[in-house]
Amino acid sequence: MKMCLAITNSEVTMNEDEASRLISTVDDDDHDNRVARLVEMEGLLPTSSELMEFAGQEAKWLFDDVKATWLYGCFTSTVLTAHAFCLLQLANAIRMLPDDPRLPDEPDSLEELASIAAAREVIDIELQARVLALHDRQRIYSAAPLHEHEFRLERHLVEAQSMSDEHALLVDARQALTTAIELVRLV
């Protein structure tokens, strides 16, 4: 896992030299992990001969952020950003089909959008399953129940840890990255 940059609000103002030293220390400590993640990501991305299409500038920025959050070890952000990116990509792929007035103006969730895309054969059942898994992970990481804490994330982490030697957040981020890349190849 990445080393976090501990920042606290103190009465002493940090100067640029101290900030630079602190950032350099974190960068040095995580360098090898970033190198490994970059090599892994490059192996997943389409080759330069393959066309990468995006559903507008927002999708392009989101995809760049998916890659950056993966590279820099901000794994919760990778999951959340990949979710947003997949929404845009799937919606765009469906918009390219002949208009269907029965479709909602805007789907309620990525789950609904994946179902619509699968029904119209925009994606296959395997990709639909990966998109649904991303939808479920996003809900776990961003849940904010108002009446009581549900411990969904904690249960997920414990269950996932029993199935893998890697941290569950890293596994979830990798799956989110892979799903986003699959949707870049789709459009």
Side-chain angles (χ1 to χ4, degrees):
M1 294 297 294
K2 76 174 194 151
M3 181 177 183
C4 295
L5 183 61
I7 299 176
T8 59
N9 186 6
S10 65
E11 305 232 352
V12 179
T13 303
M14 182 180 295
N15 67 37
E16 287 182 19
D17 290 337
E18 291 171 285
S20 178
R21 183 187 50 73
L22 185 59
I23 288 173
S24 292
T25 299
V26 171
D27 285 347
D28 290 345
D29 290 344
D30 197 39
H31 181 311
D32 292 342
N33 290 330
R34 284 192 199 135
V35 168
R37 288 191 297 270
L38 178 58
V39 168
E40 181 179 353
M41 182 176 63
E42 286 298 313
L44 296 170
L45 289 169
T47 62
S48 59
S49 64
E50 293 179 281
L51 186 61
M52 289 191 358
E53 292 286 331
F54 297 98
Q57 186 61 53
E58 305 92 336
K60 172 76 172 99
W61 286 335
L62 282 169
F63 189 71
D64 287 345
D65 284 354
V66 169
K67 294 185 304 182
T69 58
W70 168 255
L71 181 62
Y72 285 95
C74 302
F75 300 131
T76 306
S77 295
T78 304
V79 172
L80 300 177
T81 307
H83 179 272
F85 170 76
C86 290
L87 279 168
L88 293 176
Q89 285 294 99
L90 278 178
N92 187 62
I94 292 169
R95 279 193 305 269
M96 299 304 228
L97 298 174
D99 194 28
D100 183 350
R102 297 172 296 175
L103 291 177
D105 287 337
E106 191 171 326
D108 290 330
S109 66
L110 184 57
E111 178 180 34
E112 181 183 2
L113 194 56
S115 177
I116 293 168
R120 284 160 180 71
E121 298 180 350
V122 171
I123 59 175
D124 62 23
I125 193 80
E126 287 182 33
L127 185 51
Q128 181 186 12
R130 286 195 296 280
V131 171
L132 291 177
L134 175 58
H135 168 77
D136 291 344
R137 293 302 173 265
Q138 178 271 336
R139 290 186 65 204
I140 287 173
Y141 287 106
S142 63
L146 296 177
H147 296 287
E148 74 179 59
H149 186 74
E150 296 179 358
F151 298 100
R152 282 188 272 180
L153 177 59
E154 291 81 357
R155 279 193 305 273
H156 167 66
L157 295 176
V158 168
E159 290 169 2
Q161 195 67 40
S162 69
M163 293 187 237
S164 174
D165 293 336
E166 293 183 305
H167 192 280
L169 184 53
L170 175 62
V171 172
D172 290 344
R174 180 179 290 114
Q175 290 171 343
L177 172 70
T178 302
T179 302
I181 290 171
E182 284 298 313
L183 290 182
V184 166
R185 294 174 190 267
L186 173 75
V187 175

